Amino acid sequence: MRTDSSPQTIFRKDYLPPSYLVDTVELGFDLDPARTIVANRVTLRHNPLSKSRDIVLHGEELELVQLRMNGKPLQAGQYELNGNTLTIRKAPLAVVLEIETLTAPAKNTTLSGLYVSNGNFFTQCEAEGFRRITYFPDRPDVMAKYTVMLRADKALYPVLLSNGNLVEQGELDDGRHYAKWEDPFKKPSYLFALVAARLVCQEERYTLQSGREVLLQVWVEEGNLDKTDYAMQSLKNSIRWDEERFGLELDLDRFMIVAVGDFNMGAMENKGLNIFNTKFVLANPRVATDVDYAGIEAVVGHEYFHNWTGNRVTCRDWFQLSLKEGLTVFRDQEFSADMIGTDSGRAVTRIDQVRTLRQAQFPEDAGPMAHPVRPDSFVEINNFYTVTIYEKGAEVVRMYQTLVGRDGFRKGMDLYFARHDGQAVECDDFRAAMADANGRDLSQFERWYSQAGTPVVRAETRYDAAAKTFDITLRQHCAASADQQQLPFHIPVAVGLLGADGRDLPLKTDAQDRQGHATVVLELRREEQTFRFHDIAERPTPSILRDFSAPVVLEYDYSDAELLHLFSHDSDPVNRWEAGQRLAMARLLKLTAAVAAGAPLTLDDTFIAAQRALLVDDSLDPAFRELALILPSETIIAERMAVVEPQAIHTARQFMRRTLAAALKPELLAQYHANQTPGAYSPDALSAGKRALKNLALAYLLIAPREAELALARRQFAEAGNMTDRAAALVALIHSGSDAGAHLHSFYQDFEQEALVVDKWFAMQAAAPGTDVAAVRQLMEHPAFTLKNPNRARSLIFNFTNGNPSQFHAADGSAYEFWAEHVIKLDALNPQVAARLARSMDRWRRYTPALQAHMQRALERVAAHARLSNDVLEVVSKALAGAQ
Ligand code: B3K
Ligand code: ZN
């Protein structure tokens, strides 16, 4: 909790190298939920790069018992304890500190540092949790070797784990035991971890390509041992993939994944001891959906890939966070795509990424918390684990690959590791490696790291029939932010041209390379540039920004005819999907305006026919068809409006869905039956795609259901052999408004022992259009609800505030009051989770004046609260201050 009233802003430009470096850390833990003793023996030496001879240690919520320097106890006057820093001035060049502190893990509800979850001990140190365990220079550029001794009651905590290798274990008096772990690699403190718990594991010996054998373990509570297969399989796939694609081998003899039910985010890449939210480990067909399976594969991969991108090469300071996160997201995206293995499967993953960017990152980049991929300042670093750092960061990394090719990208990665293994570096070092390995000038590319905001690229075209040339003029601009004038970005724009028959024309540009290809990557560097294509015999339809080659908004005045042409023929699946989204968006915006004006609503037959043709085109992947038929979300529509009217958007979108459902009923029914997946459940992409399309059809069929459709859903609910189908049927029933109560009840009865399924049960109710704030308050009274568990809090509250816009923005502002109340309540328990909830109000200035007034009042109520964390304070003060 904040002790003074003005939280400090930390600036990238103020970076100074650490005054002392740490060689070794020996930690001893006497674990006890109420009173854990931590003994820390750390050897430090002065850093020649620093002018200061002061040792600066961070510590939070610690009780200092003893402090010794080079064997002698330090008295009160020999060090300064100021808030959260302990300073020893004018220290000797070589220092051994022995520090004994006390902490109370059972009282730690922040889930940062050492805490207790369901009676077991876990840690979370990134970004600044290690200072809640012991006094330490808790910054990522201080890398040291760790030895850890754990002591705990053997009956209560039979399993004692930490980073690296187990070197010793044995019995102690009084029913206690110990385990000693040694991590052979230097690491920053944020990668430290321990687990002391009653857990069991699935384990396996696995042979690396080099022939070395490693031990892989997935640790869970006993009742969950039937849900670890997929995580183990994903881990093995990740290890193999990183060897094959990047030549990177697992550097440890032992690699552990541990699942915990109380966790602030998805998972954590602690060296050799990844700690995971149960949501990204536990799966079997009965409890997990296809989306859950895909999430497990991606997150297991992500954390494993951090072992090289993050752990072996880490960040100099937290402003460089995207150095490891953007790169590792890119790596996990490529891993998931390669696991599917087909071009159309790869495109489906790419479309999903574009949807996430538009749903979450573009709004963030246009709102009060906008920041560059490498921020210049922050108040609370935990607020910067954002979609910009992660997903836009991954887009920036992807652009290197688009610019230099797959082989060039690999060369850049090789050089990056050759130069920086074992170091804590900056985003610029990665860019330099990519540039140097490929002999490219990537200096302008730096702006992707330093400038916030989503660039808009406006395209215009000109066809000269006589000269047979086609010109594309691209003009870029990016709204200047409060403190930044934007300079042009270096933007790769992949382009193809379709002939009247729908086929790609072979391309001939002024550049000499890549002649005759179907797609070329134009490099836009100036504010405006024209690119010429030769030998174009007919006016083509341009397919611009193929594969979403840059995280920008593309504006081009497509006619409906051109969009329909692209929607039926584009060889690039991402742009084919995109054409459908453009067709839908134009209509949704008109319909929303009509709703607001009280005008009649209509939907043209051309659009319906295009949707029908796509739905029944069996030559297309079902997964692709499902994505192409999902209309832009209410949030994405809102981003396109000058003044957001959530109810009008909802009504318009529902009208379009209802109209499509009525017009396409026979086709939907046919697809429902054609895409069944009988037999044993498999999470593979083809089966998952079939289920997705089938369940989309079911959702449509239940918009205005008659008895026959209701019967379909009821039967699917009762007979489903997997959670994907069972949950989809239940959601369809809830949305249809018919007899959902009984089904919700029986679903709960069946799964009340499965925490992750109970989360789904709350989530599907929270996001249902019929659920108002009063219903949410009532759900909070349910015995299974608790604010203390982040997954549970998110399942109900976040799914309401972020996933149910027409109810969250109820005209009377009552849901904003609810929001304020729960930001404050959560903040007292867990500032990180509270600050995430606080972000639900980011875009408040874009709503109608009446809604804005309510939102401002709610924001002010939170801001005025006496005991706010820096986390929440930063978010709400930026929201109130921002001009956007
Ligand atoms: N690196 C962690 C995130 C830590 C978040 C701290 N608030 C998970 C990941 O990105 O892999
Ligand atoms: Zn990560």
Side-chain angles (χ1 to χ4, degrees):
M1 284 297 146
R2 173 168 57 105
T3 41
D4 66 56
S5 56
S6 52
Q8 244 198 318
T9 301
I10 302 168
F11 294 92
R12 183 167 62 90
K13 63 174 169 46
D14 293 342
Y15 173 84
L16 285 176
S19 52
Y20 278 73
L21 301 172
V22 177
D23 290 316
T24 59
V25 187
E26 292 156 81
L27 292 169
F29 287 86
D30 280 292
L31 291 159
D32 180 299
R35 192 173 177 280
T36 287
I37 307 168
V38 183
N40 171 11
R41 185 172 187 280
V42 52
T43 56
L44 302 116
R45 89 193 122 83
H46 182 252
N47 179 5
L49 297 178
S50 168
K51 291 197 192 78
S52 164
R53 287 281 291 272
D54 297 347
I55 297 176
V56 181
L57 307 176
H58 306 105
E60 252 176 60
E61 312 265 322
L62 296 173
E63 188 183 319
L64 183 60
V65 179
Q66 225 203 112
L67 174 60
R68 296 162 74 88
M69 182 163 78
N70 293 341
K72 295 192 197 87
L74 288 185
Q75 306 307 329
Q78 296 173 285
Y79 62 91
E80 290 162 28
L81 197 48
N82 235 334
N84 294 331
T85 44
L86 190 161
T87 312
I88 303 170
R89 303 224 178 261
K90 300 202 178 72
L93 288 171
V95 174
V96 177
L97 289 180
E98 290 160 285
I99 309 164
E100 196 179 307
T101 49
L102 281 176
T103 92
K107 285 199 198 139
N108 181 2
T109 59
T110 66
L111 311 185
S112 163
L114 177 64
Y115 66 94
V116 175
S117 166
N118 204 17
N120 294 322
F121 290 99
F122 298 89
T123 55
Q124 170 55 37
C125 291
E126 188 177 1
E128 297 178 337
F130 192 69
R131 64 187 62 182
R132 301 171 62 88
I133 296 175
T134 183
Y135 282 98
F136 198 77
D138 188 13
R139 42 186 291 170
D141 54 354
V142 172
M143 297 172 85
K145 275 199 177 177
Y146 285 67
T147 307
V148 179
M149 172 66 95
L150 303 173
R151 285 178 286 263
D153 185 280
K154 188 171 182 181
L156 293 172
Y157 314 105
V159 176
L160 302 175
L161 309 175
S162 192
N163 316 86
N165 300 316
L166 177 64
V167 290
E168 210 183 307
Q169 58 185 329
E171 310 290 319
L172 296 165
D173 295 342
D174 301 339
R176 290 170 79 79
H177 68 148
Y178 73 90
K180 188 174 174 189
W181 292 80
E182 226 172 63
D183 186 345
F185 292 94
K186 281 169 56 170
K187 65 167 175 286
S189 49
Y190 82 85
L191 291 174
F192 166 80
L194 75 78
V195 172
R198 171 169 288 287
L199 296 174
V200 292
C201 80
Q202 173 176 352
E203 67 180 353
E204 196 169 321
R205 298 205 170 270
Y206 180 78
T207 309
L208 305 178
Q209 270 180 356
S210 65
R212 189 160 61 83
E213 216 181 63
V214 293
L215 176 64
L216 309 179
Q217 297 180 319
V218 179
W219 292 91
V220 297
E221 286 182 9
E222 194 159 12
N224 287 326
L225 208 47
D226 60 342
K227 307 187 190 79
T228 51
D229 284 350
Y230 198 68
M232 180 60 93
Q233 189 55 50
S234 300
L235 177 58
K236 290 187 286 181
N237 291 344
S238 306
I239 295 173
R240 180 58 36 93
W241 182 84
D242 219 10
E243 290 177 331
E244 288 175 352
R245 177 91 182 253
F246 289 109
L248 297 172
E249 186 181 72
L250 174 58
D251 55 8
L252 291 161
D253 298 329
R254 175 174 184 149
F255 192 90
M256 298 168 278
I257 287 177
V258 183
V260 53
D262 295 288
F263 205 64
N264 281 346
M265 61 273 166
M268 178 64 213
E269 69 264 25
N270 317 297
K271 186 80 187 186
L273 180 59
N274 287 186
I275 297 183
F276 272 60
N277 189 325
T278 44
K279 180 173 164 55
F280 293 106
V281 176
L282 305 180
N284 65 26
R286 180 171 177 269
V287 299
T289 63
D290 295 331
V291 172
D292 296 327
Y293 275 86
I296 290 168
E297 178 177 78
V299 179
V300 167
H302 181 97
E303 306 311 330
Y304 176 73
F305 303 141
H306 266 315
N307 191 50
W308 279 94
T309 50
N311 302 5
R312 288 287 287 255
V313 182
T314 195
C315 302
R316 187 194 73 166
D317 53 68
W318 291 119
F319 299 105
Q320 319 296 329
L321 181 57
S322 196
L323 171 73
K324 74 178 177 80
E325 294 306 347
L327 175 54
T328 306
V329 171
F330 171 71
R331 274 151 58 67
D332 86 54
Q333 290 175 347
E334 288 291 276
F335 165 62
S336 295
D338 286 348
M339 284 299 109
I340 302 178
T342 62
D343 283 351
S344 66
R346 175 170 275 277
V348 164
T349 65
R350 187 72 190 125
I351 292 168
D352 266 330
Q353 293 152 17
V354 178
R355 291 175 68 205
T356 305
L357 279 173
R358 289 200 179 133
Q359 176 79 19
Q361 200 279 323
F362 287 9
E364 176 168 279
D365 230 346
M369 279 290 288
H371 53 277
V373 165
R374 183 194 54 207
D376 292 316
S377 68
F378 57 72
V379 171
E380 172 50 63
I381 182 57
N382 284 319
N383 284 334
F384 285 77
Y385 287 76
T386 58
V387 273
T388 298
I389 300 295
Y390 277 68
E391 270 70 26
K392 186 176 180 183
E395 292 299 312
V396 170
V397 173
R398 181 177 295 276
M399 285 191 285
Y400 289 113
Q401 183 169 274
T402 305
L403 288 167
V404 302
R406 248 196 199 218
D407 293 344
F409 187 80
R410 170 67 195 269
K411 278 194 226 154
M413 287 285 277
D414 290 351
L415 185 59
Y416 176 64
F417 291 114
R419 283 179 176 173
H420 300 299
D421 188 14
Q423 299 175 5
V425 302
E426 296 175 78
C427 298
D428 282 343
D429 295 308
F430 185 78
R431 185 168 53 86
M434 282 294 153
D436 296 348
N438 290 285
R440 295 264 325 222
D441 177 3
L442 293 173
S443 39
Q444 188 184 352
F445 198 80
E446 197 264 343
R447 292 175 193 158
W448 283 111
Y449 292 94
S450 59
Q451 300 185 152
T454 308
V456 176
V457 174
R458 174 139 197 98
E460 267 159 38
T461 59
R462 196 176 149 270
Y463 180 62
D464 183 333
K468 293 207 168 89
T469 58
F470 187 68
D471 288 353
I472 300 186
T473 299
L474 300 175
R475 193 175 311 128
Q476 59 166 309
H477 76 90
C478 186
S481 59
D483 51 351
Q484 258 184 350
Q485 192 55 44
Q486 304 284 39
L487 295 164
F489 291 86
H490 180 179
I491 307 178
V493 182
V495 169
L497 302 178
L498 273 71
D501 62 357
R503 286 208 240 177
D504 282 318
L505 303 178
L507 300 180
K508 216 173 130 187
T509 63
D510 290 331
Q512 283 314 299
D513 54 342
R514 294 190 60 91
Q515 300 295 334
H517 288 263
T519 302
V520 292
V521 177
L522 309 177
E523 294 192 29
L524 176 62
R525 291 165 180 269
R526 296 197 294 274
E527 219 163 274
E528 182 179 320
Q529 260 168 278
T530 297
F531 302 87
R532 173 157 294 177
F533 296 88
H534 300 279
D535 296 340
I536 304 292
E538 50 174 322
R539 174 183 290 282
T541 305
S543 168
I544 309 174
L545 206 70
R546 281 188 158 175
D547 204 37
F548 202 68
S549 59
V552 301
V553 172
L554 172 72
E555 290 180 357
Y556 180 68
D557 295 330
Y558 279 116
S559 68
D560 260 16
E562 285 174 312
L563 288 174
L564 290 163
H565 193 55
L566 293 169
F567 192 52
S568 337
H569 299 293
D570 199 329
S571 66
D572 179 70
V574 175
N575 265 2
R576 188 164 179 184
W577 166 80
E578 177 73 345
Q581 296 293 295
R582 283 177 192 267
L583 286 166
M585 181 62 88
R587 285 156 180 81
L588 285 163
L589 291 173
K590 273 193 199 140
L591 285 167
T592 304
V595 173
L601 307 183
T602 56
L603 188 62
D604 55 300
D605 291 339
T606 326
F607 179 72
I608 296 170
Q611 297 281 100
R612 176 183 289 115
L614 193 117
L615 172 63
V616 302
D617 186 345
D618 289 337
S619 71
L620 295 169
D621 225 346
F624 175 80
R625 282 188 275 158
E626 189 248 352
L627 283 178
L629 292 166
I630 298 179
L631 304 176
S633 72
E634 291 175 27
T635 303
I636 291 177
I637 302 167
E639 285 297 313
R640 293 287 304 271
M641 295 178 63
V643 177
V644 182
E645 292 179 69
Q647 279 77 25
I649 295 174
H650 180 71
T651 306
R653 191 170 181 277
Q654 283 305 98
F655 167 80
M656 188 184 262
R657 295 183 75 233
R658 205 169 51 244
T659 312
L660 285 169
L664 305 180
K665 191 165 168 185
E667 291 85 0
L668 288 165
L669 205 52
Q671 291 301 324
Y672 179 80
H673 291 299
N675 286 285
Q676 299 288 327
T677 49
Y681 171 86
S682 154
D684 69 89
L686 181 61
S687 311
K690 286 186 180 172
R691 280 187 288 273
L693 181 56
K694 173 193 72 184
N695 288 326
L696 175 98
L698 183 67
Y700 269 105
L701 289 166
L702 282 230
I703 288 176
R706 287 179 318 192
E707 199 43 41
E709 287 88 48
L710 285 170
L712 272 189
R714 286 188 198 122
R715 196 171 71 223
Q716 178 170 321
F717 179 75
E719 294 172 8
N722 60 74
M723 180 51 78
T724 307
D725 286 341
R726 191 176 306 275
L730 182 52
V731 169
L733 285 164
I734 297 173
H735 286 223
S736 77
S738 349
D739 67 0
H743 290 96
L744 276 165
H745 183 72
S746 83
F747 185 85
Y748 186 81
Q749 299 282 305
D750 286 348
F751 294 103
E752 63 180 323
Q753 299 309 322
E754 300 287 351
L756 295 170
V757 184
V758 174
D759 291 339
K760 294 184 199 307
W761 184 82
F762 280 110
M764 56 180 78
Q765 296 181 74
T771 302
D772 59 13
V773 70
V776 174
R777 284 187 188 275
Q778 208 178 335
L779 278 166
M780 294 185 77
E781 300 297 315
H782 191 279
F785 186 78
T786 168
L787 282 179
K788 287 199 179 133
N789 175 262
N791 286 357
R792 193 58 49 87
R794 287 187 280 252
S795 71
L796 181 56
I797 302 179
F798 289 42
N799 272 296
F800 178 68
T801 60
N802 299 352
N804 198 345
S806 65
Q807 293 287 1
F808 180 54
H809 298 286
D812 62 2
S814 53
Y816 306 145
E817 284 301 303
F818 167 85
W819 166 88
E821 195 180 313
H822 289 92
V823 170
I824 291 169
K825 271 194 193 156
L826 272 169
D827 197 37
L829 294 168
N830 187 329
Q832 286 186 41
V833 175
R836 294 284 154 153
L837 180 61
R839 297 283 312 270
S840 302
M841 216 62 109
D842 266 13
R843 302 296 269 150
W844 70 280
R845 284 181 204 269
R846 304 194 68 259
Y847 290 82
T848 56
L851 289 177
Q852 274 192 42
H854 286 304
M855 288 163 123
Q856 183 168 2
R857 211 169 309 129
L859 277 161
E860 281 165 354
R861 174 176 162 198
V862 174
H865 189 73
R867 282 178 58 83
L868 276 192
S869 65
N870 281 345
D871 308 56
V872 168
L873 193 64
E874 178 174 29
V875 172
V876 294
S877 29
K878 284 183 174 168
L880 283 167
Q884 293 149 92

